[in-house]
Amino acid sequence: MPYRPFKLERYFARHEFGATFQLSASDCESLAMDELLAMGSPETLRLWRELKLGYTECAGHPVLRHEVASLYEGLGDEDVIIAAPEEAIFVAMHVLLEPGDEVVAVAPAYQSLHEVARALGCTVTPWRLEPGEASWRLDLGALERAITERTRLIVLNFPHNPTGHTLTRDELDAVVTIARRADLVVFSDEMYRLLEPEPALLLPPVCSLYERGISLSGLSKSFALPGLRLGWLATRMPGMVERFLAFKDYTTICNSAPAEVLGILALQARAAILARNLAMVRENTAIAARFFADHADVLGWLAPRAGSVAFPRWLGEGSVEHFCRELLTAKGVLAVPGSMFDAPGSHFRLGLGRRDLPAALDGVGAFLATHWR
Ligand SMILES: Cc1ncc(COP(=O)(O)O)c(C=O)c1O
């Protein structure tokens, strides 16, 4: 089955680099090269200076695999493969799925978490997040009911893009119990993990929690380094990393050598990088909550719990697509409507990790004042 266009990526390709302000970016304010290098230890800076730009080890630089494995209790370096995050989704789905399989996937979602399975000839049943009065809800009963004897895979994404929702520990344990009972693999997109505003919201990675769990993560969101194009898959499933590697020979074969050394540097400096990004997200979330309270006649706030995005509602006249279009034309503020995630209702994504969010919100305020009052 052919791949349908990736709506969100096409939308960003059209508008992102021409807009003045990003209201909907999902990543944290990108680190500059100088900032990152200033965090390097003498050994890693030596790796950087002496780097030869040859092909690299297919599974990833051994030191990088070691740094990644250290994030996961119970996993060793050999349980990790390095790949670009989007590539990792593509590789994993191709290895895990066959035509006719069923997949239950959290929805709305970053499109490739559904699309790759669909294009492979699988049926994707959405496990829908529902908006409550002030935050998001997921029904575990609905997950159980969605599973049939053809289901092979559950796809999770917490902290969630685009809602900023996350499960409680009890809910995640219940998902694992459901998966174990039906002998299902759980593919857990944890790209926004480590951006929990309170330690109690940090969930264990699925690859540590579940013997048939696969965790996807990377440096694009929580680590503010999307330009490195570095992510990874981590799993204790026997033979799985070798199967991923065999498929990766048909995508990138190996990773970018400079990106890998910078990735090592970033993971070794993770405490400082995550503290910087969490502080920005916390501050922006408070500013956004106040802004939405001040504009409650046309904007509905749904509090995010973790990660760097939220998914509030447009309550004014006309569609949310129209609101986003007009906002971009009038004020150069780029907002992504929920239809880019196939989400029902009139939601739009709000990015909480960028330094210029207050300026983008000023643009929204000025737009509302001139167009809606
Ligand atoms: C949930 C989720 N998974 C995976 C990705 C892919 O990350 P990257 O664009 O760095 O490949 C994204 C990017 O937006 C995402 O939001």
Side-chain angles (χ1 to χ4, degrees):
M1 256 178 255
Y3 279 87
R4 296 178 295 200
F6 199 133
K7 290 186 197 173
L8 176 72
E9 299 300 349
R10 289 298 91 213
Y11 187 82
F12 271 129
R14 259 198 318 279
H15 302 301
E16 181 177 7
F17 295 99
T20 314
F21 297 109
Q22 304 293 330
L23 192 68
S24 296
S26 59
D27 52 351
C28 293
E29 183 77 24
S30 298
L31 280 163
M33 193 72 175
D34 280 353
E35 282 177 278
L36 184 59
L37 288 175
M39 298 182 199
S41 67
E43 301 95 274
T44 312
L45 289 174
R46 190 157 52 78
L47 276 184
W48 177 241
R49 278 194 309 274
E50 294 175 3
L51 178 69
K52 285 182 72 176
L53 298 174
Y55 283 113
T56 62
E57 290 188 40
C58 303
H61 192 297
V63 180
L64 182 58
R65 288 176 92 191
H66 183 70
E67 290 298 336
V68 170
S70 73
L71 299 170
Y72 299 112
E73 200 183 308
L75 275 78
D77 303 1
E78 66 289 354
D79 298 323
V80 166
I81 168 178
I82 311 294
E86 176 73 326
E87 176 191 17
I89 295 173
F90 191 80
V91 167
M93 296 294 165
H94 275 80
V95 166
L96 293 168
L97 295 171
E98 309 242 327
D101 287 349
E102 290 184 14
V103 174
V104 182
V106 70
Y110 187 67
Q111 189 174 329
S112 50
L113 293 174
H114 291 203
E115 185 66 20
V116 182
R118 195 203 60 82
L120 284 168
C122 304
T123 302
V124 180
T125 308
W127 181 32
R128 285 201 187 284
L129 277 144
E130 303 288 348
E133 266 306 296
S135 63
W136 292 85
R137 287 191 307 253
L138 260 176
D139 175 11
L140 284 167
L143 173 65
E144 280 195 283
R145 287 191 297 280
I147 292 169
T148 74
E149 73 278 1
R150 298 190 74 99
T151 307
R152 295 287 168 272
L153 181 68
I154 297 176
V155 177
L156 304 181
N157 167 220
F158 300 107
H160 181 246
N161 174 19
T163 63
H165 187 66
T166 197
L167 298 179
T168 63
R169 175 65 201 267
D170 285 350
E171 286 171 328
L172 181 61
D173 286 344
V175 172
V176 168
T177 303
I178 291 167
R180 193 175 274 132
R181 205 183 300 133
D183 201 24
L184 305 180
V185 174
V186 176
F187 181 86
S188 177
D189 180 327
E190 298 164 5
M191 287 297 290
Y192 297 84
R193 192 167 175 274
L194 305 177
L195 272 186
E196 290 75 11
E198 295 153 38
L201 291 168
L202 177 65
L203 294 171
V206 163
C207 62
S208 296
L209 200 59
Y210 180 36
E211 61 284 358
R212 285 169 65 71
I214 300 169
S215 292
L216 160 72
S217 197
L219 300 180
S220 303
K221 311 296 179 182
S222 317
F223 286 83
L225 294 165
L228 292 187
R229 311 305 303 124
L230 275 188
W232 52 83
L233 293 163
T235 181
R236 291 180 284 149
M237 289 175 75
M240 192 52 78
V241 164
E242 284 67 33
R243 291 177 64 196
F244 291 154
L245 274 171
F247 194 88
K248 195 188 168 202
D249 287 341
Y250 290 98
T251 55
T252 57
I253 306 175
C254 66
N255 311 296
S256 147
E260 286 202 321
V261 176
L262 295 173
I264 293 168
L265 217 149
L267 282 166
Q268 290 173 342
R270 58 184 172 259
I273 295 176
L274 293 169
R276 162 202 188 262
N277 296 339
L278 252 179
M280 202 147 20
V281 168
R282 276 204 194 97
E283 199 180 318
N284 279 341
T285 306
I287 291 169
R290 277 198 302 275
F291 180 87
F292 278 72
D294 289 345
H295 297 82
D297 52 336
V298 284
L299 297 175
W301 182 238
L302 286 152
R305 300 184 73 209
S308 47
V309 293
F311 207 40
R313 277 196 196 99
W314 168 244
L315 305 173
E317 274 173 40
S319 68
V320 67
E321 287 80 10
H322 184 254
F323 163 64
C324 293
R325 239 183 349 259
E326 294 288 294
L327 180 62
L328 181 62
T329 308
K331 301 290 172 194
V333 177
L334 179 60
V336 172
S339 50
M340 294 299 131
F341 300 88
D342 284 334
S346 57
H347 300 273
F348 60 98
R349 188 169 74 181
L350 185 73
L352 299 164
R354 294 288 185 93
R355 224 186 283 287
D356 70 351
L357 180 70
L361 288 176
D362 284 348
V364 179
F367 172 76
L368 293 175
T370 49
H371 287 67
W372 293 95
R373 298 276 143 72

